[in-house]
Amino acid sequence: MAVKVYGKPQAVCPQRVMHCLVEKGVPFEFVLVDIDAMEHKRPEYMEKHPFGQVPFIADGDFELFESRAIVRYFASKYADRGPNLLGRTAEERAKVEQWLDVEAITYSPCAFSIVFNLFLLPIRGLPGNKGEAVASMEKLDKILEVYEKQLARTKYLAGDEFTLADLTHIPVTRYLVEHCGLAYLLDDKPHAKAWWEDVSSRPAWKKLMSFVASGASFYAP
């Protein structure tokens, strides 16, 4: 039975999950949840995800929500397929977890504030809070200075192999670069810029972007 991923394909968190599945060569069915129509807040969906967010996955009888928990689950279940996304030793796994926490607690909230105000609200004809966006941009620039120092030491955030620590950053960073015009924040950070060019050029990510653009419901490697 194919994995089912529930959500909106353009949304950051479902993309995080789908990218992990594509990296691992796992087929899946995408089930649209129209968040613009507030389907994620309907009782039948909230029985699956009690906080009314996306994504939610069903893997046979096993159900799970929260995108970072989901990618950890698939990276572990399919450890023998595709790239090793969790680290190979206790020390490597700890580094992966460290940067997953940084992404979830420090990077993404700041990045989402920018995307929300500069892209998501305007495309709906609503005014964004420019002051909030500018403050978040200044904060993000400082965060990226820390990333630059790390990436001067290692090719990827948690070491010299691509892992979940990198994967979880990609969807929201794409929105920053492609839809918010913030690629320039990397111009004075050569190691962070090289990292972004590397991770955003991964074949699995390109396959996912093609899948999303196609509007298809089923992905098969």
Side-chain angles (χ1 to χ4, degrees), residues 10 37 67 75-76 82 95-96 123 131 146 156 165 187 217:
Q10 295 81 11
S67 64
S76 177
K95 287 291 187 181
V96 172
I123 65 170
V146 177
Y156 298 103
D187 286 346
S217 297

Side-chain angles (χ1 to χ4, degrees), residues 35-56:
I35 59 178
D36 295 320
M38 302 298 288
E39 287 183 359
H40 58 308
K41 299 299 184 183
R42 293 179 182 174
E44 57 270 28
Y45 181 78
M46 292 187 70
E47 289 182 7
K48 303 176 184 296
H49 194 316
F51 298 106
Q53 298 175 340
V54 293
F56 162 85

